Amino acid sequence: GESVGLHLPTLSVQEGDNSIINCAYSNSASDYFIWYKQESGKGPQFIIDIRSNMDKRQGQRVTVLLNKTVKHLSLQIAATQPGDSAVYFCAETSNTGNQFYFGTGTSLTVIP
Amino acid sequence: EAGVTQFPSHSVIEKGQTVTLRCDPISGHDNLYWYRRVMGKEIKFLLHFVKESKQDESGMPNNRFLAERTGGTYSTLKVQPAELEDSGVYFCASSPGGFTGPLNNEQFFGPGTRLTVL
């Protein structure tokens, strides 16, 4: 029969506001994490990464926070712009692994 | 430099038919990965090539899926016979060589092939 897909978590923010996208991971052995941005019709694009020996890393307008205690990752986007509208995925892997494990994604919509 | 390319961008086939997806990685990238995203769910790993060798194919759903990377350049993913649940977007990614793990080794994704099985 037909399978029913999960609805993506969604986040709507006003242009200029800050956005926070959250991700929970399950594997305690994961020690490298990436946030990807996927725009419509395109493949996932690398935004920022963080290793498990850090709890915060900043890029241009983006910050990733890692809380290993509760296995939580977040992506903060400052001064969100319409071009930030996309689906955002977190991905995790371990030093001994060959593959990334992706979250279900969060759909961000920026309201002009 | 050209990015990862995938062909076709869309494919609509009937259940029972065969489809072959192609991925051309970034030139010189030894690592090639196939992923699949089904109906808004998470992106799931299918397999990983290092050059022409299958490093990890633990994510392949079943034996209806066959991936090849002859010569260690482009890769194909064949689905035969296709079933309804195979519908989704198939992504290919590549990364430079030097080691087999993805740690600190950004994967560059292609635009994906949207497969619809009717």
Side-chain angles (χ1 to χ4, degrees):
Chain A
E2 184 179 64
S3 61
V4 178
L6 296 173
H7 290 289
L8 276 180
T10 59
L11 175 66
S12 295
V13 298
Q14 206 71 35
E15 180 178 359
D17 287 352
N18 297 331
S19 304
I20 299 176
I21 300 171
N22 297 301
C23 178
Y25 64 94
S26 56
N27 187 357
S28 324
S30 292
D31 52 13
Y32 181 58
F33 306 85
I34 294 182
W35 278 101
Y36 283 93
K37 171 186 179 183
Q38 187 185 3
E39 296 174 277
S40 181
K42 298 182 180 179
Q45 181 183 10
F46 175 95
I47 301 175
I48 191 168
D49 60 356
I50 188 168
R51 299 169 70 105
S52 60
N53 60 353
M54 305 171 68
D55 53 22
K56 179 179 180 179
R57 190 163 188 220
Q58 288 185 296
Q60 187 178 13
R61 283 201 308 117
V62 294
T63 301
V64 55
L65 299 177
L66 174 63
N67 185 331
K68 295 180 288 294
T69 303
V70 295
K71 295 193 285 236
H72 184 268
L73 197 67
S74 69
L75 176 70
Q76 300 178 359
I77 305 174
T80 313
Q81 302 168 2
D84 295 328
S85 293
V87 176
Y88 290 81
F89 293 94
C90 63
E92 58 177 297
T93 191
S94 66
N95 195 22
T96 56
N98 290 306
Q99 55 176 284
F100 281 98
Y101 296 91
F102 285 79
T104 53
T106 295
S107 177
L108 174 66
T109 301
V110 181
I111 304 165
Chain B
E1 178 182 312
V4 177
T5 58
Q6 293 186 244
F7 181 83
S9 57
H10 293 84
S11 180
V12 180
I13 61 173
E14 292 188 350
K15 175 182 173 181
Q17 290 185 321
T18 297
V19 63
T20 301
L21 314 180
R22 173 172 170 144
C23 168
D24 285 78
I26 292 173
S27 178
H29 279 192
D30 288 343
N31 293 296
L32 188 149
Y33 305 82
W34 282 99
Y35 291 89
R36 177 174 73 170
R37 186 176 181 215
V38 175
M39 291 204 58
K41 296 186 178 180
E42 68 272 24
I43 298 173
K44 281 197 170 180
F45 168 85
L46 296 178
L47 88 159
H48 168 212
F49 284 99
V50 177
K51 297 184 181 179
E52 68 276 9
S53 300
K54 291 177 185 174
Q55 183 71 23
D56 181 356
E57 53 183 328
S58 61
M60 294 288 264
N62 49 61
N63 59 11
R64 295 185 293 103
F65 289 75
L66 175 64
E68 294 180 322
R69 193 182 181 196
T70 306
T73 54
Y74 71 91
S75 174
T76 58
L77 179 64
K78 181 192 288 187
V79 185
Q80 178 182 32
E83 298 289 343
L84 298 178
E85 63 265 25
D86 301 332
S87 296
V89 181
Y90 290 77
F91 292 105
C92 174
S94 72
S95 64
F99 42 86
T100 58
L103 191 64
N104 231 9
N105 194 11
E106 178 186 346
Q107 295 183 16
F108 298 86
F109 280 78
T113 293
R114 180 174 293 280
L115 174 64
T116 302
V117 182
L118 303 176

